[in-house]
Amino acid sequence: MKKFEYRLEELHIDIKSALNPVYTELHDQLEEKLNELGKEGWRLCGVNGCLYYFAREL
Protein backbone atom coordinates (compact mmCIF):
# COMPACT_ATOMS: atom_id res chain seq x y z
CA MET A 1 0.00 0.00 0.00
CA LYS A 2 1.29 3.47 -0.86
CA LYS A 3 2.00 5.87 1.99
CA PHE A 4 2.03 9.64 1.81
CA GLU A 5 3.12 12.59 3.88
CA TYR A 6 1.30 15.90 3.77
CA ARG A 7 2.32 19.51 4.04
CA LEU A 8 0.39 22.73 4.53
CA GLU A 9 1.86 25.97 3.27
CA GLU A 10 0.36 29.36 4.00
CA LEU A 11 1.31 31.36 0.94
CA HIS A 12 0.12 34.94 1.01
CA ILE A 13 -0.75 34.69 -2.66
CA ASP A 14 -4.40 34.18 -3.43
CA ILE A 15 -4.63 31.81 -6.39
CA LYS A 16 -7.47 33.78 -8.00
CA SER A 17 -5.36 36.93 -7.95
CA ALA A 18 -2.32 35.07 -9.26
CA LEU A 19 -4.34 33.85 -12.25
CA ASN A 20 -5.53 37.37 -13.08
CA PRO A 21 -3.45 38.70 -16.02
CA VAL A 22 -3.16 42.07 -14.25
CA TYR A 23 -1.05 40.53 -11.46
CA THR A 24 1.85 38.95 -13.39
CA GLU A 25 4.23 39.41 -10.43
CA LEU A 26 1.96 37.33 -8.16
CA HIS A 27 1.69 34.70 -10.88
CA ASP A 28 5.47 34.50 -11.19
CA GLN A 29 5.96 34.29 -7.40
CA LEU A 30 3.41 31.49 -7.07
CA GLU A 31 4.83 29.58 -10.02
CA GLU A 32 8.35 29.83 -8.57
CA LYS A 33 7.20 28.52 -5.16
CA LEU A 34 5.20 25.66 -6.69
CA ASN A 35 8.13 24.64 -8.89
CA GLU A 36 10.45 24.73 -5.85
CA LEU A 37 8.15 22.40 -3.90
CA GLY A 38 7.64 20.20 -6.97
CA LYS A 39 11.40 19.63 -7.21
CA GLU A 40 11.24 18.30 -3.63
CA GLY A 41 8.55 15.83 -4.69
CA TRP A 42 5.54 17.73 -3.34
CA ARG A 43 2.35 17.63 -5.38
CA LEU A 44 -0.31 20.31 -5.01
CA CYS A 45 -3.55 18.69 -3.84
CA GLY A 46 -5.75 21.64 -3.02
CA VAL A 47 -6.08 25.30 -2.23
CA ASN A 48 -8.32 27.06 0.28
CA GLY A 49 -7.72 30.80 0.22
CA CYS A 50 -4.02 31.18 1.06
CA LEU A 51 -3.62 27.62 2.40
CA TYR A 52 -2.03 25.26 -0.11
CA TYR A 53 -2.17 21.50 0.52
CA PHE A 54 0.62 19.24 -0.74
CA ALA A 55 1.34 15.52 -0.63
CA ARG A 56 4.23 13.29 -1.60
CA GLU A 57 4.74 9.58 -1.56
CA LEU A 58 7.03 8.13 1.10
Side-chain angles (χ1 to χ4, degrees), residues 2-3 5 7-8 12 14-15 17 20-21 24 26-27 30 35-36 39 42-44 52 56 58:
K2 292 183 180 182
K3 293 186 179 187
E5 65 178 326
R7 178 175 180 163
L8 291 175
H12 296 283
D14 179 65
I15 197 161
S17 297
N20 186 328
T24 57
L26 286 178
H27 179 272
L30 180 58
N35 283 331
E36 177 185 310
K39 287 177 186 174
W42 293 104
R43 180 176 169 213
L44 180 64
Y52 290 70
R56 70 176 170 189
L58 293 173

Side-chain angles (χ1 to χ4, degrees), residues 18-30:
L19 294 174
N20 186 328
V22 174
Y23 301 111
T24 57
E25 186 176 326
L26 286 178
H27 179 272
D28 293 344
Q29 288 174 358
L30 180 58

Side-chain angles (χ1 to χ4, degrees), residues 4-11 33 36-38 40-46 51-56:
F4 297 89
E5 65 178 326
Y6 299 92
R7 178 175 180 163
L8 291 175
E9 284 279 335
E10 185 176 5
L11 305 177
K33 183 63 176 179
E36 177 185 310
L37 290 168
E40 296 176 13
W42 293 104
R43 180 176 169 213
L44 180 64
C45 296
L51 274 179
Y52 290 70
Y53 303 88
F54 297 87
R56 70 176 170 189

